Amino acid sequence: MSEMFKGIGPIVYEGPKSKNPLAFKFYDAERVVYGKKMKEHLPFAMAWWHNLCGQGSDMFGAPSTDKTFGTEPGTMAHARAKVDAGFEFMQKIGIEEFCWHDTDLVPESDDINETNRRLDEITDYILEKMKETGIRCLWGTANMFSNPRFMNGAGSTNCADVYCFAAAQVKKALDLTVKLGGRGYVFWGGREGYETLLNTDVKFEQENIAQLMKMAVAYGRSIGFTGDFYIEPKPKEPMKHQYDFDAATAIGFLRQYGLDKDFKMNIEDNHATLAGHTFQHDLRISAINGMLGSVDVNTGDLLLGWDTDEFPKDVYVATMAMYEIIKAGGLTGGLNFDAKTRRASYTYEDMFQAFILGMDTFALGLIKAAAILEDGRIDGFIDERYASFKTGLGAKIRSGEATLEELAAYAEEKQNPGLPGSGRQEYLENVVNSVLFGG
Ligand code: XUL
Ligand code: CO
């Protein structure tokens, strides 16, 4: 196997003063921050689809980026070359895990049996590479949204034959996840949603999705999959209404159908913002429900307003994300770069620049989140803000012992409670700025 990314890497940490474009300025894998090595706080993963398959095409233009890796696309030689390129890339950038869809790994045949044979062959090869390098699989998934058969969804399709085909893909993707030792299995409901209620039975579709997930759990457990299943919420795109709108909606769905013990969330920044939330919000909602599993790290562009899947660059956002993740006790999953280089960034070096950007941004986020926690003013303020619930009737409310009559009697006696205390938002924003930039 010949070197694909000639003259690039390995990428090493050189510190904030370095001007070397191919070096980390902040990500220092072995550095201990807040009690753990950076690489343990930041279990980065490479998304097979963007990094090895994405060629920079968009709905207005043809591919701009050559990802043939010296082979003929659509062949098994190309599939193998992507494995070679992927492992070389991960080793050079210093990433220890990867995520994949079935259709990222091999070209799909018209005959599912042949596709599955190809998947067996390529995963044998991936397994060899994993043993050679120590690189691991974070999660796998089935692409049940690209092929036109899934135009009306997979679990939510109106067509039972399509539903069975989806089941076959999930079954195979679970087999492969177990084969590769994957720690998770993702359901991103690509087309699990609808365009118009004029042709859609929402209840029927949601029940069918839940049934597909139940069958996946039963099968996965029967073949020894001990990891977490994940729902990756997204409110729209490609469908107008998607059922897994955001973390709160997906968690409610899981609870309604008794799937909450086996599933957690895979929260994606760009999906949270499409839902009108901050990334931090969806991380928090997942965490407080015990369902923060894994994270897709990317960013959208609020001026564009669609799923642009850009590499993370906003240190403030990364800081607040890491603040949530540390407070939640870390991730059982990882930080998957579900992100792509811009169409005009079409060189191999741009791929490395993109990961350096994402990894340095999250390293800074980690350092700054730890600083906020160590500073203590934010958490201290929040604690103090609810202090009236620590004693007296407040404490009784918290312990569930208070009655409505008792509270009403107290309020009637006490009369006007006055104002509840300033939220001091601007002060707190000043605190964050001083921790971020105060040295
Ligand atoms: C699409 C998206 C997917 C999932 C996996 O917006 O994020 O790539 O991460 O299917
Ligand atoms: Co994603």
Side-chain angles (χ1 to χ4, degrees), residues 75-341:
T75 62
M76 283 306 281
H78 182 225
R80 289 173 81 88
K82 286 195 291 185
V83 177
D84 293 338
F87 278 81
E88 183 187 322
F89 185 88
M90 287 186 277
Q91 279 186 296
K92 285 185 164 176
I93 198 78
I95 278 194
E96 295 181 352
E97 291 190 309
F98 61 92
C99 303
W100 50 271
H101 301 85
D102 47 3
T103 53
D104 306 332
L105 301 181
V106 294
E108 209 181 339
S109 159
D110 289 340
D111 174 357
I112 188 175
N113 298 301
E114 171 56 15
T115 306
N116 287 349
R117 194 204 59 72
R118 293 176 188 175
L119 285 167
D120 290 339
E121 183 187 320
I122 207 70
T123 47
D124 284 346
Y125 188 48
I126 292 175
L127 213 45
E128 268 176 44
K129 291 278 189 181
M130 291 171 69
K131 287 194 181 126
E132 220 173 277
T133 60
I135 287 171
R136 304 175 305 274
C137 169
L138 173 57
W139 52 255
T141 187
N143 178 330
M144 306 191 295
F145 44 87
S146 295
N147 192 297
R149 71 173 64 89
F150 296 120
M151 62 175 66
N152 297 333
S156 64
T157 182
N158 57 303
C159 172
D161 281 358
V162 172
Y163 190 97
C164 293
F165 199 95
Q169 269 188 257
V170 172
K171 176 174 177 287
K172 187 67 186 174
L174 274 165
D175 287 337
L176 301 178
T177 302
V178 171
K179 176 174 172 181
L180 299 177
R183 298 196 284 122
Y185 184 88
V186 164
F187 282 89
W188 168 56
R191 293 185 196 271
E192 312 290 35
Y194 67 92
E195 296 293 315
T196 171
L197 289 175
L198 294 175
N199 64 14
T200 304
D201 184 335
V202 171
K203 184 167 183 286
F204 183 95
E205 293 196 356
Q206 293 204 353
E207 286 168 359
N208 276 1
I209 295 170
Q211 206 50 45
L212 184 61
M213 289 178 173
K214 278 186 190 164
M215 289 189 280
V217 169
Y219 180 72
R221 300 306 181 213
S222 80
I223 60 165
F225 176 64
T226 53
D228 287 321
F229 289 85
Y230 301 121
I231 282 187
E232 184 177 321
K234 185 175 181 181
K236 57 189 172 197
E237 202 201 311
M239 302 308 265
K240 182 154 93 177
H241 301 273
Q242 288 195 195
Y243 295 132
D244 302 324
F245 187 92
D246 60 0
T249 311
I251 291 167
F253 171 87
L254 290 172
R255 291 206 175 122
Q256 182 180 356
Y257 292 104
L259 288 157
D260 48 310
K261 299 287 171 290
D262 294 282
F263 274 79
K264 288 193 167 73
M265 294 295 112
N266 181 41
I267 295 301
E268 176 164 322
D269 180 347
N270 204 164
H271 295 179
T273 49
L274 283 175
H277 301 309
T278 59
F279 184 23
Q280 184 180 10
H281 170 89
D282 256 21
L283 292 171
R284 176 72 63 94
I285 295 298
S286 306
I288 61 173
N289 283 285
M291 286 208 192
L292 179 55
S294 207
V295 181
D296 275 9
V297 276
N298 58 19
T299 183
D301 184 321
L302 294 180
L303 297 182
L304 295 177
W306 67 85
D307 194 13
T308 55
D309 282 343
E310 297 176 35
F311 275 83
K313 59 192 163 210
D314 187 325
V315 175
Y316 199 101
V317 170
T319 300
M320 292 312 168
M322 288 313 301
Y323 172 79
E324 294 302 322
I325 290 169
I326 295 174
K327 277 169 80 82
L331 296 169
T332 47
L335 296 168
N336 170 43
F337 284 113
D338 188 357
K340 58 190 177 203
T341 50

Side-chain angles (χ1 to χ4, degrees), residues 412-425:
E412 285 153 13
E413 160 81 25
K414 180 140 200 302
Q415 302 279 341
N416 188 346
L419 297 177
S422 170
R424 302 192 75 198
Q425 182 170 332

Side-chain angles (χ1 to χ4, degrees), residues 371-390:
I372 291 174
L373 289 163
E374 272 154 5
D375 175 272
R377 277 177 287 174
I378 301 291
D379 283 325
F381 181 84
I382 293 170
D383 189 51
E384 188 51 35
R385 189 157 180 250
Y386 298 96
S388 63
F389 285 90
K390 285 186 182 154

